[in-house]
C-alpha cells in the first residue's frame, strides 16, 4: 500500500528485506544516534517559496504529470505520457563528443578530460548543486559500535555496525552521525570486495524504500524484493538463493548506508538540518548549493574514507547499489566519488539515468514541484520560466562521467499506454521511471568507454553494440526486449520483465561484477 500526500506527490514503498544478521545489527545502533525526519510539506512549503524568491520566479511552476489513473479508471488531464510518438522533446539531445563551443569534436582522451570539467560545472550549477568547501574538509570520526557473528549460506560472517561522527564543533546545534553496516566472511584470507546498498537503519531512510523513480504519484507500490535468481533470471552462483548469500559465497561482503543519517529525504526545515544544514549553520541554501543527492554521495565518500583504513574491506573494490530514488543516489555517487569501482543503478528515473528529453513518465516538473530538495535550487527554473528544452545537458553526458569505471544500469518492464483507456495495455508499476529513456541515456553514453580504451555497451552473441551513438533518441529502435543482458562491455544494461523492483537484476549484476571483483578467498 502506498502513502500518497497529494501536495507532495510522493509515495513510500514497503520495507526492503534485510538479512537477519544485518537487521539485528541495525536494531542495535546506539540510542544516541538520531536521524533528522523529513519535512512533510508540499511544493508550496516555505523553503520552496524562499528558493523561488531567490531565483526571481514570481509565477506558479508548471505542475508535474500524474503518474496513475483516477480512482474511476479514467485518465486525468495531466496523465503522464506513455506514448512514444509524443515522447521526443523539441530540442535535440546535446552531442556527447562535442566540446562546449559546439564545434570542436572530441577524438582523444585529453579532449574528453577537458570536456568532463565543462560538464561537471554545468551539472554542479544547474542540476545537483555544489558541495561547499567546508564539507570537503570537515572531520568525520568513525566508530565500530557493534560486532555480530552470523552465517550466510552456512558460511560464517561478521557484521559490524559503523557510525561516522561529523565534527560537532563546526556547528554544535546540529548533530550528524552517519550510520552504516558491513558484513564480511569471518574467515576471509584478506581484505574483501563489498557491495553497499543505499538504505537500512532508522529514520527516513531506514528500510522504507521510497519511490522517487517509482510508478508515479499515488501509484501502488511493488514489493521491494531482495532476491534475483529464479524465474526468467539467471541463477545465483554456488547455489545461493539471495544476492547476499551469493556475495558471501564468492568471498565478498555487503552492507548498508543509511541516507537519512546524512540528510533527511525531504524539503522544508529538513534542508536546515542534516549535513546540508550543519555546513550552512542552520541557514537556507543558495540556488547552486547541493541537494540531498549530492549530500548522500558526500556521505558515501566518508564511508570510503573509513574503508581506506579498514582491515576487512578492500577499498579498491567497492560497489554501490540503489533502487528508485536510491538509484538516483547511486548514479550521483558513482559520478562524484571516483574511488568507487562499480555501481548498480536500478529504476532511477528523472535525475538519475533517464534522458530528460525523453518525455515519458517522471518529468523535470515533477522534481521542481515535489522533490526539488534532491537537486540544486536552480532545478526549479526548468519547471517554471524555462523548460526541459532549455537544459544545457542531458543524462547520457552524466552517465559518461563515470567512464572508464564499470557501471550496470537497469529498469523493469515498460508498457506503452500504461493502462490508459483506449491503449489496450495494463498498468505497470515501473513506467514512471521510463526504462526506454534509461536505455537511450546508457547507450548514448557508451562511446566514451570506447574512447577511453574500454568496451562499450553491447551483447557480443547478438552482435549488438553501441560504440557510436550520434543520437540517443534514435537508438530507441535498437532497444532489445526484456531479459536481454547487455553486459559484455564495461557499461551495462538489462531490462527485467517485472514492476518496480531491483530483485530480478541482482543475479545479472553479480555476474557482471565477477569480472571486476577479485576475492582473497577463505582461510582453509
Amino acid at each position: 500500500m502506498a502513502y500518497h500526500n497529494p501536495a507532495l506527490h510522493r509515495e513510500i514503498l514497503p520495507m526492503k528485506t534485510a538479512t537477519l544478521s544485518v537487521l539485528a545489527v541495525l536494531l542495535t545502533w546506539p540510542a544516541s544516534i538520531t536521524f533528522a525526519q523529513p519535512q512533510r510539506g508540499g511544493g508550496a512549503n516555505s523553503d520552496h517559496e524562499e528558493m523561488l524568491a531567490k531565483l526571481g520566479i514570481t509565477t506558479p511552476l508548471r505542475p508535474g504529470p500524474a503518474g496513475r489513473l483516477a480512482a474511476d479508471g479514467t485518465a486525468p488531464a495531466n496523465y503522464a505520457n506513455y506514448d512514444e510518438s509524443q515522447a521526443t522533446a523539441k530540442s535535440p539531445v546535446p552531442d556527447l563528443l562535442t566540446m562546449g563551443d559546439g564545434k570542436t569534436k572530441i577524438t582523444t582522451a585529453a579532449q574528453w578530460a577537458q570536456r568532463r570539467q565543462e560538464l561537471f560545472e554545468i551539472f554542479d550549477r544547474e542540476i545537483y548543486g555544489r558541495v561547499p568547501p567546508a564539507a570537503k574538509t570537515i572531520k568525520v570520526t568513525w566508530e565500530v559500535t557493534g560486532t555480530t557473528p552470523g552465517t550466510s549460506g552456512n558460511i560464517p560472517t561478521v557484521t559490524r555496525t559503523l557510525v561516522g561522527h561529523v565534527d560537532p564543533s563546526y556547528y554544535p546545534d546540529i548533530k550528524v552521525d552517519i550510520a552504516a553496516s558491513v558484513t564480511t566472511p569471518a574467515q576471509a584470507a584478506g581484505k574483501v570486495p563489498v557491495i553497499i546498498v543505499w538504505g537500512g537503519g532508522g529514520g527516513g531512510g531506514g528500510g522504507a524504500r521510497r519511490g522517487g523513480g517509482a510508478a508515479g504519484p499515488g501509484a501502488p507500490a511493488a514489493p521491494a524484493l531482495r532476491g534475483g535468481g529464479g524465474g526468467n533470471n539467471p541463477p545465483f552462483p554456488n547455489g545461493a538463493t539471495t544476492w547476499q548469500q551469493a556475495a558471501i559465497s564468492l568471498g565478498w561482503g555487503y552492507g548498508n548506508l543509511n541516507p537519512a543519517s546524512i540528510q533527511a529525504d525531504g524539503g522544508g526545515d529538513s534542508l536546515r538540518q542534516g549535513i546540508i544544514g550543519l555546513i550552512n549553520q542552520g541557514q537556507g541554501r543558495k540556488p547552486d548549493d547541493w541537494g540531498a543527492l549530492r549530500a548522500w554521495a558526500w556521505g558515501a565518500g566518508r564511508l570510503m574514507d573509513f574503508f581506506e583504513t579498514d582491515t576487512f574491506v578492500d577499498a579498491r573494490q567497492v560497489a554501490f547499489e540503489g533502487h528508485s530514488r536510491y538509484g538516483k543516489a547511486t548514479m550521483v555517487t558513482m559520478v562524484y566519488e571516483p574511488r568507487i569501482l562499480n555501481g548498480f543503478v536500478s529504476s532511477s528515473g528523472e535525475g538519475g539515468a533517464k534522458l530528460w528529453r525523453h518525455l515519458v513518465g517522471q518529468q523535470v516538473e515533477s522534481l521542481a514541484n515535489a522533490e526539488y530538495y534532491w537537486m540544486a535550487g536552480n532545478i526549479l527554473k526548468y519547471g517554471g520560466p524555462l523548460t526541459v528544452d532549455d537544459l544545457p545537458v542531458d543524462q547520457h553526458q552524466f552517465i559518461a562521467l563515470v567512464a572508464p569505471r564499470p557501471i550496470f544500469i537497469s529498469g523493469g518492464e515498460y508498457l506503452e499506454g500504461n493502462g490508459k483507456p483506449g491503449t489496450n495495455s495494463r498498468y505497470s508499476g515501473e513506467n514512471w521511471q521510463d526504462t526506454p529513456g534509461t536505455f537511450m541515456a546508457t547507450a548514448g553514453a557508451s562511446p566514451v568507454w570506447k574512447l577511453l580504451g574500454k568496451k562499450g555497451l553491447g551483447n557480443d552473441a547478438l552482435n549488438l553494440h553501441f560504440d557510436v551513438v550520434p543520437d540517443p533518441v534514435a537508438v530507441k529502435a535498437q532497444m532489445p526486449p526484456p531479459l536481454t543482458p547487455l553486459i559484455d562491455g564495461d557499461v551495462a544494461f538489462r531490462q527485467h520483465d517485472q514492476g518496480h523492483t531491483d530483485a530480478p537484476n541482482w543475479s545479472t549484476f553479480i555476474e557482471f561484477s565477477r569480472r571486476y571483483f577479485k576475492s582473497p578467498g577463505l582461510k582453509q
Side-chain angles (χ1 to χ4, degrees):
M1 177 68 67
Y3 167 81
H4 181 215
N5 178 335
L8 190 56
H9 285 216
R10 65 188 303 171
E11 63 276 27
I12 300 177
L13 299 186
M15 179 174 291
K16 74 176 182 181
T17 305
T19 59
L20 291 179
S21 60
V22 173
L23 182 59
V25 170
L26 294 178
L27 294 175
T28 64
W29 266 331
S32 61
I33 297 177
T34 58
F35 305 130
Q37 295 300 309
Q39 174 77 12
R40 294 296 182 189
N45 65 47
S46 59
D47 180 83
H48 193 266
E49 293 174 349
E50 178 182 310
M51 187 58 69
L52 290 172
K54 289 178 179 178
L55 292 168
I57 299 174
T58 58
T59 56
L61 301 182
R62 295 183 303 280
R68 63 172 297 178
L69 302 175
D72 62 1
T74 61
N78 66 331
Y79 189 51
N81 176 55
Y82 299 109
D83 180 349
E84 281 295 327
S85 69
Q86 302 178 34
T88 304
K90 296 177 183 178
S91 61
V93 175
D95 187 77
L96 178 68
L97 294 178
T98 299
M99 298 295 291
D101 62 11
K103 300 177 182 179
T104 306
K105 296 300 180 181
I106 298 170
T107 59
T108 68
Q111 287 177 309
W112 173 249
Q114 182 181 346
R115 180 58 175 155
R116 284 183 91 247
Q117 297 311 308
E118 294 178 344
L119 290 171
F120 270 119
E121 167 58 25
I122 299 170
F123 281 109
D124 286 0
R125 183 185 68 240
E126 299 296 313
I127 311 294
Y128 299 105
R130 307 182 195 278
V131 175
K136 300 175 182 178
T137 58
I138 195 167
K139 184 177 181 181
V140 177
T141 303
W142 284 93
E143 175 186 6
V144 178
T145 59
T147 303
T148 304
T151 60
S152 180
N154 296 321
I155 299 175
T157 61
V158 58
T159 299
R160 292 174 295 157
T161 307
L162 312 173
V163 179
H165 305 285
V166 180
D167 184 1
S169 67
Y170 181 84
Y171 187 65
D173 287 354
I174 296 176
K175 182 180 181 181
V176 175
D177 289 316
I178 304 171
S181 74
V182 62
T183 299
T184 51
Q187 300 300 318
K191 295 183 178 183
V192 303
V194 297
I195 300 171
I196 301 298
V197 176
W198 280 109
R209 177 163 276 191
R210 305 170 185 232
L225 305 175
R226 306 306 296 158
N232 294 321
N233 305 298
F236 287 121
N238 302 322
T241 57
T242 68
W243 74 264
Q244 293 96 333
Q245 286 185 6
I248 294 296
S249 77
L250 293 168
W252 308 348
Y254 59 86
N256 295 77
L257 178 57
N258 188 325
S261 67
I262 305 163
Q263 182 66 41
D265 187 9
D269 291 341
S270 293
L271 289 168
R272 289 178 170 81
Q273 299 293 321
I275 191 61
I276 293 176
L278 186 152
I279 295 298
N280 285 344
Q281 299 187 329
Q283 301 302 306
R285 297 187 300 163
K286 300 187 297 295
D288 64 344
D289 271 354
W290 54 343
L293 290 173
R294 282 218 68 181
W296 295 342
W298 171 90
R302 306 293 69 74
L303 182 60
M304 290 298 296
D305 293 342
F306 170 78
F307 286 153
E308 287 188 331
T309 68
D310 192 35
T311 57
F312 293 85
V313 172
D314 185 347
R316 299 167 301 174
Q317 300 190 76
V318 175
F320 266 73
E321 187 271 350
H323 173 71
S324 196
R325 68 192 56 207
Y326 300 145
K328 300 183 205 295
T330 301
M331 190 68 250
V332 174
T333 299
M334 285 294 296
V335 168
Y336 286 104
E337 181 42 75
R339 292 174 293 179
I340 296 172
L341 173 63
N342 189 9
F344 175 5
V345 177
S346 173
S347 303
S348 57
E350 198 87 332
K354 166 192 182 316
L355 274 186
W356 295 96
R357 286 171 172 81
H358 190 239
L359 307 182
V360 164
Q362 191 177 31
Q363 296 299 297
V364 66
E365 290 86 358
S366 308
L367 303 186
N369 278 282
E371 288 119 346
Y372 72 99
Y373 46 82
W374 289 336
M375 310 291 197
N378 276 328
I379 199 69
L380 273 65
K381 298 183 301 185
Y382 300 97
L386 303 178
T387 73
V388 66
D389 293 304
D390 296 301
L391 280 169
V393 289
D394 216 314
Q395 290 305 95
H396 64 309
Q397 297 168 303
F398 193 64
I399 294 170
L401 295 175
V402 174
R405 291 171 292 148
I407 188 169
F408 175 69
I409 296 174
S410 66
E413 64 178 355
Y414 174 76
L415 303 175
E416 191 165 342
N418 200 33
K420 186 176 181 180
T423 62
N424 193 31
S425 70
R426 63 179 174 81
Y427 177 82
S428 168
E430 180 73 334
N431 276 20
W432 181 249
Q433 67 84 30
D434 184 14
T435 299
T438 301
F439 168 75
M440 294 179 201
T442 306
S446 175
V448 171
W449 271 264
K450 181 181 180 182
L451 178 70
L452 299 180
K454 296 295 184 177
K455 191 172 181 180
L457 183 70
N459 181 309
D460 294 341
L462 297 177
N463 195 27
L464 188 62
H465 300 99
F466 298 91
D467 293 333
V468 179
V469 183
D471 182 1
V473 172
V475 85
K476 166 65 169 59
Q478 297 176 264
M479 183 177 178
L483 306 180
T484 305
L486 302 178
I487 62 170
D488 293 333
D490 296 295
V491 54
F493 176 87
R494 183 177 187 260
Q495 178 184 196
H496 63 72
D497 60 352
Q498 298 180 37
H500 194 58
T501 171
D502 55 0
N505 278 334
W506 265 106
S507 55
T508 301
F509 177 64
I510 294 290
E511 179 184 353
F512 178 68
S513 297
R514 292 180 75 172
R515 300 214 308 262
Y516 307 100
F517 277 177
K518 306 300 179 185
S519 168
L522 303 180
K523 296 177 182 177
Q524 301 298 319

